């Protein structure tokens, strides 16, 4: 059940966006701080192709072949975001801002007919906030669900509605302190991914895109390794389940990073 504060948020967010969208499509009215781990997992291209939307009318999606150091032949990168958004929400009114935990499964370098640049398909977003899940789905057309989540300084856990569908991740930092993102040349893969326009398909008949604008000049990172295991029911059917997936740190190509950053989020717009 929604508490009173969340009910107020729902009731105010709708007219706010109705007023703002027609006249401010080029503005970023949502902003926030972000503490997260960004991790690349390599999967067979054919499996990733199978994860792309198939039910969006008049849309044809393919995968670009990005030239990335460390990417194996026949593989395609998917990106996991495991983190907490802090004081995130509309610039005004500030009381609509919220701190919440989230998980994103993303497929970058998606080609679309009629677009000259690659995009990111956000397959699923999980969050511990019913309000954020609602607004993400209703206004950005992203598949989203509110589920149980717990995080610590080096671990991440989520469970879907008290079922056996769980995800566990453990991180090991490889640096004593954060450094500017520019200190790590292999962080460039995340700059490429996070700069791409993105879309979802919660409603396959509504083709909506948006952009994150990260302040990479002020972003701080630490290299970290990750051990991840996920059971069936949370991620795409062809994502490996019930086995440990490990990643290297940011000192290696496609390595994992612990990230502190800020961002602005554009309003949704037609693709």
């Amino acid at each position: 059940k929604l508490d009173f504060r969340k009910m107020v948020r729902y009731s105010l967010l709708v007219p706010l966006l109705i007023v703002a969208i027609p006249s401010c499509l080029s503005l970023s009215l949502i902003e926030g701080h972000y503490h997260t781990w960004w991790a690349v997992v390599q999967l067979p291209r054919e499996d990733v192709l199978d994860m792309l939307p198939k039910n969006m009318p008049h849309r044809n999606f393919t995968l670009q072949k990005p030239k990335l150091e460390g990417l194996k032949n026949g593989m395609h990168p998917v990106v996991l975001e495991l983190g907490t958004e802090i004081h995130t929400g509309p610039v005004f009114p500030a009381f609509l801002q919220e701190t919440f935990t989230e998980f994103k499964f993303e497929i970058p370098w998606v080609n679309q007919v009629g677009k000259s640049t690659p995009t990111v398909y956000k397959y699923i977003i999980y969050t511990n906030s019913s309000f954020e899940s609602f607004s993400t789905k209703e206004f950005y057309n992203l598949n989203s669900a509110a589920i149980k989540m717990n995080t610590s300084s080096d671990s991440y856990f989520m469970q879907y509605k008290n079922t056996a569908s769980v995800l566990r991740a453990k991180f090991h930092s490889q640096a004593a302190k954060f450094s500017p993102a520019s200190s790590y040349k292999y962080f460039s893969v995340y700059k490429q991914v996070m700069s791409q326009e993105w879309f979802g398909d919660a409603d396959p008949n509504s083709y909506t895109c948006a952009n994150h604008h990260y302040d990479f000049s002020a972003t701080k990172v630490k290299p970290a390794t990750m051990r991840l295991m996920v059971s069936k029911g949370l991620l795409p059917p062809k994502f490996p389940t019930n086995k440990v997936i490990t990643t290297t740190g940011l000192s290696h190509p496609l390595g994992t990073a612990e990230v502190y950053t800020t961002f602005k989020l554009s309003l949704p717009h037609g693709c």
Side-chain angles (χ1 to χ4, degrees):
K1 295 181 179 180
L2 295 175
D3 60 28
F4 177 76
R5 186 166 176 241
K6 290 182 178 178
M7 291 176 66
V8 172
R9 283 194 182 122
Y10 282 116
S11 63
L12 290 179
L13 184 58
V14 174
L16 173 67
L17 289 179
I18 290 175
V19 171
I21 288 175
S23 59
C24 304
L25 283 177
S26 64
L27 300 180
S28 297
L29 297 184
I30 295 175
E31 61 184 18
H33 300 260
Y34 198 19
H35 174 215
T36 183
W37 287 275
W38 287 345
V40 171
V41 176
Q42 299 188 45
L43 297 177
R45 281 182 59 85
E46 292 303 315
D47 288 352
V48 179
L49 274 169
D50 192 59
M51 299 174 187
L52 298 179
K54 300 178 179 62
N55 59 346
M56 299 185 77
H58 314 298
R59 297 291 174 180
N60 182 33
F61 302 101
T62 59
L63 291 176
Q64 196 176 92
K65 293 184 178 180
K67 296 180 180 179
L68 300 173
E69 186 177 352
L71 184 62
K72 300 175 183 177
N73 289 334
M75 306 295 275
H76 191 84
V78 299
V79 175
L80 310 182
E81 296 188 46
L82 308 91
T84 299
E85 294 198 19
I86 305 163
H87 301 310
T88 295
V91 176
F92 177 83
F95 74 85
L96 288 175
Q97 296 178 2
E98 190 171 38
T99 296
F100 57 93
T101 303
E102 67 176 2
F103 171 92
K104 300 176 184 177
F105 183 95
E106 302 162 327
I107 302 173
W109 285 286
V110 176
N111 285 327
Q112 304 181 38
V113 174
K115 295 188 75 67
S116 59
T117 56
T119 55
V120 173
Y121 170 47
K122 291 186 180 288
Y123 183 95
I124 187 67
I125 295 178
Y126 293 112
T127 174
N128 66 346
S129 164
S130 57
F131 170 72
E132 294 299 332
S133 178
F134 168 83
S135 59
T136 294
K137 183 178 295 183
E138 291 300 317
F139 299 111
Y140 287 94
N141 198 38
L142 299 179
N143 291 302
S144 180
I147 65 174
K148 178 182 178 181
M149 292 178 151
N150 291 306
T151 63
S152 72
S153 60
D154 64 354
S155 65
Y156 194 100
F157 171 84
M158 65 183 192
Q159 180 180 26
Y160 188 74
K161 294 182 178 179
N162 295 319
T163 68
S165 296
V166 299
L167 178 147
R168 291 183 173 87
K170 187 75 173 179
F171 302 92
H172 177 69
S173 177
Q174 295 184 312
K177 61 181 181 179
F178 285 89
S179 299
S182 58
S183 302
Y184 294 93
K185 70 173 183 177
Y186 295 127
F187 187 75
S188 61
V189 65
Y190 296 112
K191 293 177 69 174
Q192 293 181 60
V193 171
M194 301 304 167
S195 298
Q196 293 177 23
E197 187 178 50
W198 48 259
F199 71 100
D201 64 338
D203 177 0
N205 294 306
S206 176
Y207 195 43
T208 302
C209 286
N211 302 78
H212 276 88
H213 302 284
Y214 290 95
D215 184 1
F216 287 119
S217 65
T219 296
K220 305 293 185 182
V221 303
K222 284 198 294 186
T225 59
M226 179 184 73
R227 290 174 58 87
L228 173 88
M229 188 164 70
V230 59
S231 56
K232 292 182 180 179
L234 284 173
L235 301 184
K238 291 194 176 181
F239 189 86
T241 56
N242 300 315
K243 63 179 293 185
V244 176
I245 295 173
T246 60
T247 65
T248 59
L250 197 59
S251 301
H252 301 274
L254 307 183
T256 298
E258 183 179 0
V259 181
Y260 269 107
T261 189
T262 60
F263 66 87
K264 295 183 184 295
L265 173 61
S266 75
L267 287 167
H269 54 264
C271 296

